[in-house]
Amino acid sequence: QVQLVESGGGLVQPGGSLRLSCAASGIIFSANAMGWYRQLPGKQRDMVAVITSNGLTIYVDSVKGRFTISRDNAKNTVYLQMNGLKPEDTAVYYCNTYRANRDYWGQGTQVTVSS
């Protein structure tokens, strides 16, 4: 079964950094695109960053230059390095993959940016 297990969320001050991790199982990890999405309070879930199986990356404009998505295929893990965090980054962050015409999601991890 597909399972995505996230870690690394927490409380950080503005300007700080966090690194989110998502460990995947039940998929051929190296063949799958992986993504990070977030759901801001009162908003729908939106894409933050995606990394393809070939290592191509896509970012939402609001995080470009601050966030970096990466993957370690040997560890079946995708990361989201978040630098220069802003209060508006506060959200539940979700790990995502797509297989057999459906999305799979992690449980979500809370990131709170506040002084």
Side-chain angles (χ1 to χ4, degrees):
Q1 296 185 25
V2 177
Q3 187 174 22
L4 305 174
V5 180
E6 300 166 322
S7 61
L11 174 66
V12 66
Q13 294 185 2
S17 297
L18 285 173
R19 192 189 197 195
L20 306 183
S21 299
C22 172
S25 60
I27 62 171
I28 304 173
F29 182 83
S30 62
N32 280 74
M34 303 293 299
W36 287 97
Y37 291 67
R38 67 186 180 187
Q39 188 166 14
L40 278 66
K43 304 295 184 180
Q44 67 183 46
R45 190 178 301 180
D46 292 319
M47 186 199 77
V48 177
V50 170
I51 184 166
T52 72
S53 60
N54 294 324
L56 301 178
T57 57
I58 303 170
Y59 299 92
V60 67
D61 286 345
S62 59
V63 309
K64 190 172 179 60
R66 299 188 296 122
F67 291 10
T68 302
I69 188 170
S70 62
R71 65 193 298 157
D72 186 339
N73 288 345
K75 296 181 178 179
N76 284 7
T77 300
V78 62
Y79 304 95
L80 185 67
Q81 178 67 46
M82 304 184 294
N83 299 326
L85 283 162
K86 304 175 180 180
E88 52 263 44
D89 295 318
T90 295
V92 179
Y93 284 72
Y94 296 89
C95 183
N96 165 267
T97 193
Y98 188 81
R99 191 188 75 89
N101 296 315
R102 66 155 288 177
D103 283 298
Y104 293 87
W105 300 94
Q107 77 283 359
T109 184
Q110 177 71 48
V111 172
T112 302
V113 185
S114 177
S115 60

